[in-house]
Amino acid sequence: MEIDLSGTWQVTLNGRDVPCALPGDIHSALLDRGLIPDPYFASNEDAVRWMMERDWVLSRTVSLSAEQAASMNQIELDRVDTLATVRINGVDVGRCDNAFRRWRFAVDEGVLKAGDNRFELVFDNPVAAAKTLSQAQEYDIPWHWNVDLPHANLIRMIACDCGWDWNICLTPLGVAGALVLRRAPTLSLDYLDVRQRHSAGKVDLVLTVSGTLYDRDGVGSCAGTLVIDGQTLALSPEPVDGGEFRAVARCTLDQPRLWWPNGMGEQALYSVQVALDGQGLTRTIGLRSLAIDQTEDSTGSAMQFVVNGQPIFAKGANWIPVDALPARRTPENTRPLLEAAVAAHMNMIRVWGGGLYEPDWFYDLCAEVGLLVWQDAMFSCHLYPSDTVFLDNVRAELDHNIRRLQSAPAIALWCGDNEVIGALTWYPESRSNRDRYLVAYDRLNRTVEAAVSQHDSSRVF
């Protein structure tokens, strides 16, 4: 039982309620109704700066039956940007502080009621929040001069949304993914892990589905199926450590159609459809082997991608978020850019570490058109904290996104960051206390590496 909370919310400006579509963002809502100027035009970036210097509230009313109010006990929000309190009928039920994560919060008994229920997302002023975080640090943590939000490196938000040498500073507020009110199921079907072993004329697959387990006693009754290429495989979930479940299926595909990068062959794709405990999960996968040849030679070592046993010459470009306004980041305006890369004979793009882990459909489009993806973790040019609270938040972000994207055939590599190791030499603080900042970088880097090793050992970090 669940209720989709996406759709029309309200944001209040000068006593006026303005409709705001979620998924979406507040800037787009105000711009669509002529309440702010186009931030891309002339110096309008400065004219809308006031929006990042105040708090905002998004709200909507949802009518529930008595049965729904009594049974719903969880709210899920995906990619809330960024610092927001989730409030239902005046009760705080959760706190979001990372734009790259999915959040699930318990809704305690008595919070919901029969009839109208007020849902609110209360967004903090990011300027004030970043300043407060900076004052709590044990030592100065330099932030990059590209950005117009001081100390933005202390908040897990999209770096270039705070301005960059090529981007305007909006720090948009909103939700990019799902919003759902539900009764927590026995288990939540979240991830698909695909491992491939290629040999002459066949591919052996190990397909593992996993996710959160809410009812350990009830998992034994949750049978399911996985369908691929006409084969239906049984799934029997089992509890594993960490409050999760896992179900494994194995099969062999004879005479498989292989996936190739642009210019080397067909972009053959297979659909994997999972049904478990009344939930469904569909992923598009490609059958290909991928390795990186790092053979040592007289000048060091090679770094050549090898797909299906064939070395390739990697040709590509940096990929940045397609628009500064999140509501405009859509498949419809992304596909033409990826197709232009293909037309220019590219076979790889690099998702840059100052942007975002793109949504699932982006990686599906890359697979469809034949573009491999060099995937950065979302760290760029700043230096970063290395305290336990910050790194735990980062680890949760990485765990989710690596598992979410593990089955994507286009991803070729996981990379730790963009220019952060170089940035150690950019700032007087890090130049004058080399070891302190180098240790902090090492802790962050090891956090990324550990997450990749745990969740996607099929790819190089």
Side-chain angles (χ1 to χ4, degrees), residues 117-380:
N117 294 261
R118 182 175 174 82
F119 289 74
E120 294 176 304
L121 300 176
V122 183
F123 289 90
D124 291 0
N125 167 352
V127 176
K131 182 178 180 180
T132 299
L133 286 169
S134 73
Q135 294 169 342
Q137 301 302 313
E138 294 183 3
Y139 57 90
D140 291 337
I141 303 176
W143 47 278
H144 197 258
W145 50 84
N146 270 336
V147 307
D148 292 325
L149 173 57
H151 312 294
N153 52 330
L154 306 181
I155 302 176
R156 293 305 297 147
M157 60 197 302
I158 298 170
C160 64
D161 279 349
C162 304
W164 213 259
D165 48 10
W166 51 264
N167 197 32
I168 56 179
C169 177
L170 295 185
T171 62
L173 306 169
V175 182
L179 299 93
V180 177
L181 177 69
R182 67 179 182 178
R183 178 176 180 81
T186 299
L187 53 82
S188 183
L189 176 57
D190 295 329
Y191 307 112
L192 172 68
D193 182 291
V194 179
R195 307 294 167 130
Q196 310 180 24
R197 188 178 67 184
H198 291 247
S199 56
K202 66 177 184 178
V203 176
D204 296 317
L205 294 176
V206 179
L207 304 130
T208 304
V209 297
S210 61
T212 302
L213 180 60
Y214 295 103
D215 181 2
R216 192 179 182 93
D217 294 334
V219 69
S221 62
C222 295
T225 59
L226 184 151
V227 178
I228 178 171
D229 196 34
Q231 299 187 47
T232 300
L233 311 172
L235 292 173
S236 298
E238 297 180 350
V240 295
D241 293 341
E244 295 201 346
F245 78 92
R246 183 176 299 141
V248 181
R250 293 176 170 83
C251 69
T252 297
L253 302 186
D254 295 318
Q255 303 304 315
R257 295 164 53 230
L258 299 182
W259 182 92
W260 291 92
N262 177 39
M264 296 187 69
E266 180 187 9
Q267 286 77 56
L269 296 169
Y270 290 75
S271 177
V272 178
Q273 299 169 319
V274 181
L276 184 62
D277 192 35
Q279 301 168 61
L281 179 70
T282 299
R283 291 287 184 266
T284 299
I285 70 168
L287 304 180
R288 88 290 180 273
S289 64
L290 191 150
I292 300 178
D293 179 4
Q294 295 179 296
T295 303
E296 293 187 2
D297 56 28
S298 60
T299 59
S301 63
M303 185 176 179
Q304 183 169 41
F305 292 89
V306 180
V307 179
N308 299 327
Q310 298 297 313
I312 72 169
F313 184 78
K315 300 170 289 186
N318 228 30
W319 178 267
I320 60 176
V322 71
D323 202 289
L325 292 165
R328 296 181 182 176
R329 297 170 188 161
T330 67
E332 290 73 25
N333 61 9
T334 298
R335 176 186 285 275
L337 294 173
L338 297 177
E339 290 176 341
V342 169
H345 304 292
M346 296 184 190
N347 55 22
M348 181 178 288
I349 57 172
R350 176 233 186 170
V351 175
W352 170 73
L356 67 152
Y357 309 94
E358 295 283 351
D360 293 349
W361 54 258
F362 173 87
Y363 300 92
D364 288 344
L365 286 176
C366 289
E368 182 181 332
V369 300
L371 291 171
L372 290 164
V373 175
W374 172 304
Q375 178 68 51
D376 282 2
M378 292 301 119
F379 304 94
S380 183

Side-chain angles (χ1 to χ4, degrees), residues 105 109 207 359 424:
F105 301 120
E109 184 177 355
L207 304 130
L424 291 169

Side-chain angles (χ1 to χ4, degrees), residues 53-133:
E53 297 173 345
R54 54 161 285 180
D55 300 341
W56 292 87
V57 179
L58 282 170
S59 65
R60 69 169 295 177
T61 299
V62 178
S63 182
L64 300 176
S65 67
E67 179 186 4
Q68 289 172 324
S71 62
M72 301 287 188
N73 59 8
Q74 186 183 77
I75 186 169
E76 177 179 314
L77 309 96
D78 188 20
R79 291 175 288 152
V80 178
D81 193 0
T82 296
L83 303 175
T85 299
V86 182
R87 186 174 295 159
I88 303 175
N89 293 329
V91 178
D92 293 350
V93 300
R95 174 73 174 168
C96 306
D97 63 359
N98 188 322
F100 309 119
R101 288 179 60 179
R102 176 177 57 202
W103 302 94
R104 288 174 178 155
F105 301 120
V107 179
D108 293 339
E109 184 177 355
V111 172
L112 297 170
K113 60 183 181 181
D116 288 345
N117 294 261
R118 182 175 174 82
F119 289 74
E120 294 176 304
L121 300 176
V122 183
F123 289 90
D124 291 0
N125 167 352
V127 176
K131 182 178 180 180
T132 299
L133 286 169

